[in-house]
Amino acid sequence: MSVRAQNLRKSYGKTQVVRDLSLDIAPGEMVALLGPSGCGKTTTLRMIAGLNRLDGGTLYIGDRLVDDGRTFIAPEKRALGMVFQSYAIWPHKSVAENVAYPLERKGLAKPAVETSVLRALDLVRLTAMRDRMPHQLSGGQLQRVALARALVREPEVLLLDEPLSNLDAALREELRAEIAALRSRVRTTMVYVTHDQSEALALANRIAVMNLGVIEQLASPQAVYDDPATPFVASFVGGANILRGFVEAGHFVSHETRFALPAGMTAKGGPGTLVVRAEDLEVGMLGTPLPLAARLFLGHATEYRFALGGTSLRAMGPHLPLAEPRVAIKRAKLFAPTV
């Protein structure tokens, strides 16, 4: 089922949280809404769910208008499933009973409920734990129960609101792999809210990077990483170095320091913002001399931090025992003018 949002607006008091946001999601696609706290991503998800009414714009699920400020379809009638940050699992019910609850509320016959519950538990690999109680489960297993409960009704669209944020790093990796595997087994359209770029890059077909209530870029994970549309996108996704200064005679000058532009990059002179990822800086004996502030051995690579005008320039590369390494830019993206 597709989701089509056109010029969505939402304010709380005088604060505009979502500003003229438009988004088309194809049937079976997973789109991640990625951004920092307060950017409007959860508010957008809640408008799709029907938990927040629109202040303006139109919202369609499939061909059905579900909200335009006048027409409004209630959340329970939108054929949606939703997984929240908190597991919201009944502590006195078993795994199977928790998953069965939405179907029992609909009044389905017991044989049909049991068949659907087993199918949902199989999707999240919890069939063997159907009789366990919540206190006998790990955090990752509890989140899989929440996923199964959302899937048991076979929703047309599955909404996930930072479902892994309450888990530790190891469990987040485990559940991220489970969700990726789940996507290969179901064709449900998914909207996934997260502030974690690694989740968005690993799971989504497309990423909508949000900032201050608007989408700054909507593209595939590779395009967002390799070709960011704005300095904010480059900084938020992958933590690129953002250098502000000006172009002059094949060089970029920032904080009175001159860097040769990458081979093949042509740019007019004038102010600009240069975006350089840490792996696109070459550390060695050639390039611009900078004070080395820190050298961090990470096993697979070494992170170098150079002092530049009161800020830190990050570079990744092999471990080099040079006392005064230099920096050269291999690849970068130039935005102009400086903002």
Side-chain angles (χ1 to χ4, degrees), residues 179-192:
I179 292 172
L182 177 67
R183 285 197 57 231
S184 69
R185 300 194 296 272
V186 300
R187 295 183 176 273
T188 306
T189 303
M190 298 186 189
V191 187
Y192 190 105

Side-chain angles (χ1 to χ4, degrees), residues 153-173:
R153 292 189 296 175
E154 299 182 354
E156 300 286 355
V157 179
L158 180 61
L159 309 178
L160 301 106
D161 186 11
E162 304 217 39
L164 310 185
S165 62
N166 289 333
L167 305 177
D168 62 36
L171 281 176
R172 279 201 304 272
E173 281 197 25

